[in-house]
Amino acid sequence: MRPRATSRASAGLEGRLEDADELTAAANPEGSGRCSVYLLPGQLFASSEPSTVTTILGSCVAVCVWDPVLKIGGVNHYLLPYWVGNGHSSGRFGNVAIKLLIDKLLAFGSKKRNLQAKLFGGACVLEAMRDREDHLGMKNIRVARKLLEEEGIPVISDDVGGSHGRKLIFHTDAGSALVRHL
């Protein structure tokens, strides 16, 4: 029996993990049995059941991790690159969100050697900041690449940077991602 879809969602503005609520997954009205989830900033979702996860990204980054052997996956949506130990850790921070997502897939039975990642977002949506090479979106992209490399998880595709937001739709069972620039 495969584990049910689980997730960590921020509760309240502080997004404390110990207060996290389960994300709700709604069944697809087409009757396919596929769950549909909308991911807010600071949330993550992983599932062993076929699910479609949608989110909107600006300078935030979404890391999609997929296991092609077990056909399971998940995605996070983080706002800031690093939690440095002040206040409560949360999925709002890349170094926390990426680790939580990997741990969730490993708990579902994935082997780290089978995992693959896709990266999305990290735009510089503020025109006043576009001349800077080190804008927030770029910092968010760098932390994802660094942590995934440290974990030995290859990034097989990405759509990052630029000056426009993105709508992302990720299918956890197929590992496919659809992106529309906004």
Side-chain angles (χ1 to χ4, degrees), residues 34-103:
R34 177 177 292 279
C35 292
S36 180
V37 174
Y38 184 81
L39 204 62
L40 296 170
Q43 294 181 325
L44 70 86
F45 178 84
S47 178
S48 62
E49 299 298 326
S51 301
T52 300
V53 183
T54 303
T55 196
I56 303 292
L57 303 162
S59 61
C60 296
V61 165
V63 176
C64 301
V65 180
W66 181 58
D67 180 337
V69 175
L70 296 181
K71 306 263 189 258
I72 63 174
V75 59
N76 60 31
H77 178 157
Y78 63 88
L79 295 85
L80 300 167
Y82 288 101
W83 176 66
V84 293
N86 297 329
H88 298 284
S89 70
S90 140
R92 296 170 46 100
F93 302 96
N95 62 330
V96 175
I98 293 167
K99 174 84 169 108
L100 287 172
L101 181 57
I102 293 167
D103 288 349

